[in-house]
Amino acid sequence: MICSIPGLPNDSYVAVDEAHASLINVSLPWDSELGDKGGWSQCLVRSVDEGTGDQVNRECTAWVYDDSVFRSTVVSKFDLICDKKMSRSHARMILMGGLLLGAIGIGVIADIIGRKKALMAMVALHAGASIAVAYVESFVLYVIFRFLTGISISGLFLAIFVLGMELVGPSKRMFVGIVVEVFWALGVMILGAIAYFVRDWNYLQMAVSFPILLFFSYWWFIPESPRWLLARGRDEEAEAIIRHAAKVNGVKMPDKIFDGKTFDEAYTREKMSRVFTSPRFMFRLVVLCYNWLSSAMVFYGLGLNAGNLAGDLYVNFELMGVVELIAYGACVLLLNRIGRKPLHIACMILGGGACLSTIFTVLYADESLQWLNIVLALLGKCGASAAFAIIYVYSAELFPTPLRNSLMGVTCLFARMGGMISPYIADLNTVVSGQFGQALPLIVFGASTVAGGLMCFMLPETLHKHLPETLEDATNFGRVTSSSSGTVRRRQGDWDIEYTVDAPSKECDPLNARTRDREAKEPVV
């Protein structure tokens, strides 16, 4: 991008002939601060002062852009350069604000109106806002619709994730949780492929937005969460869904599934305020929130360095998606073998250790070894991606059903905060000079991630355990065990409930209080 030469209405970024090149030399001042070798000024143009007749530098009023890679971008459409350069940062912050609001609000809404209705509401918002972005002619409208898009993205992901986790039994939760992340990475790679062929941002926005309309068909294919229905006292609807799932999976269900006395009114109307009455659960929530924050901070922070990788921009973009797929594939293979807790800790320490290791290449290695930075960055990205995926599954399995969406929204809030903090940490080298300043962001990223991994040693394992149905279950998670199959009695409200304990999981299943006579095979909706 350079200033357009005054009086030349059809100016171009590349000089078309010697006369044009000479006009550029005369009209544009040289800016030595642009890159290693400098370049033509992007914000100033020479003109003759009418009073003195001297040549002076004035601010540009029009620009020409390099279209060798992109035919048009948001920057070129709204001229977000020079004195408007910070508008790009403002737009990103507004988008993150939408993601943050979506993480808080949609979780609460989904716990009130249901997972399915919240999901479809987010589909409608996402379709409308995303399509509208492609047609806006005002930067103000652009950031408004991007803000709404951010709300819908966060709400969509959270609603579909929790719904999927609650539609399956313990043996399938890991698969469902990670598959969501796998399709996220595949979406990133598909976006890169589409962007390679569609170089105009308007048409690219349309290409990825209009297919969202197909998601409205989900209303007829996706059931409501049976666990949410049970939590709201709608046993008949939940039973219909479970019986349909049993029929599809060839499982015979007993004539009576629920006895109507399983949970008292306090359970069906669990309130967020009760979380603060349980110090044990609050401690676990704080640990999880910090892990969400640090995982997101490193995930996005390392993404800021993607432009430093050598090679083609589109290849680099696809490479980041490939690294994410590798991370998620490793999670699928190892989560049910190693467990959520040890694998998450290992990934956090791996990602943080890779960031800390780059300190040595920054401070001591010469240019011939700078390729190690790329390897370590990709390794850190792999660890951060895996940790980010695991923490979704891990958190959902530690939260009680009535508050699961709301608490997932709280943890997602901290993830968005980590994403908002990461650019400022990455820019610490502008505050602290020298080689230490270059290494400082990596120190912060690495140390915070390693600390998060170490904190998780104080959390319980959730592998093969049943989802907690009440805050009491979540608080006591990991404490009630048995060496073999049997029953445990627990006082809940006015009822003495008998829980079935499965030998492999060594953990009480509150849902078994309702389904003591069901067969061992779990129906999967």
Side-chain angles (χ1 to χ4, degrees), residues 431-462:
V431 179
V432 181
S433 60
Q435 289 183 315
F436 180 75
Q438 289 182 298
L440 187 57
L442 303 172
I443 295 174
V444 176
F445 284 139
S448 61
T449 307
V450 171
L454 295 176
M455 290 171 65
C456 285
F457 278 107
M458 293 175 281
L459 297 178
E461 177 57 72
T462 60

Side-chain angles (χ1 to χ4, degrees), residues 98-232:
L99 292 168
L100 188 150
L101 181 60
I104 301 173
I106 304 307
V108 176
I109 292 173
D111 281 337
I112 296 174
I113 68 174
R115 303 355 183 179
K116 183 177 178 178
K117 290 181 180 178
L119 172 63
M120 299 313 300
M122 289 302 99
V123 168
L125 179 61
H126 192 55
S130 298
I131 293 173
V133 166
Y135 295 94
V136 296
E137 296 296 330
S138 163
F139 181 69
V140 173
L141 288 177
Y142 170 79
V143 295
I144 290 174
F145 284 119
R146 288 288 284 172
F147 177 76
L148 296 176
T149 301
I151 294 176
S152 65
I153 290 173
S154 187
L156 260 177
F157 193 88
L158 190 60
I160 197 65
F161 181 86
V162 173
L163 179 59
M165 293 287 286
E166 292 183 345
L167 283 175
V168 300
S171 62
K172 304 296 189 299
R173 287 201 304 261
M174 179 279 297
F175 181 78
V176 170
I178 299 301
V179 162
V180 173
E181 305 287 351
V182 169
F183 276 87
W184 173 279
L186 288 174
V188 170
M189 297 181 68
I190 292 172
L191 173 62
I194 296 175
Y196 180 81
F197 295 101
V198 183
R199 303 294 179 97
D200 187 296
W201 83 270
N202 292 90
Y203 294 118
L204 177 61
Q205 184 70 27
M206 295 178 195
V208 299
S209 298
F210 277 105
I212 299 170
L213 297 174
L214 298 174
F215 294 165
F216 284 107
S217 63
Y218 284 12
W219 179 263
W220 291 277
F221 298 106
I222 296 180
E224 181 56 90
S225 166
R227 291 182 178 273
W228 179 83
L229 291 171
L230 292 173
R232 308 299 292 183

Side-chain angles (χ1 to χ4, degrees), residues 8 60 114 144 167 322 384:
L8 199 63
C60 293
I144 290 174
L167 283 175
V322 170

Side-chain angles (χ1 to χ4, degrees), residues 352-387:
C355 290
L356 290 173
S357 298
T358 56
I359 298 171
F360 300 101
T361 59
V362 170
L363 296 180
Y364 306 112
D366 55 27
E367 293 185 1
S368 64
L369 295 177
Q370 289 304 307
W371 60 270
L372 286 174
N373 272 334
I374 299 175
V375 175
L376 291 171
L378 291 176
L379 187 62
K381 179 72 171 180
C382 185
S385 300

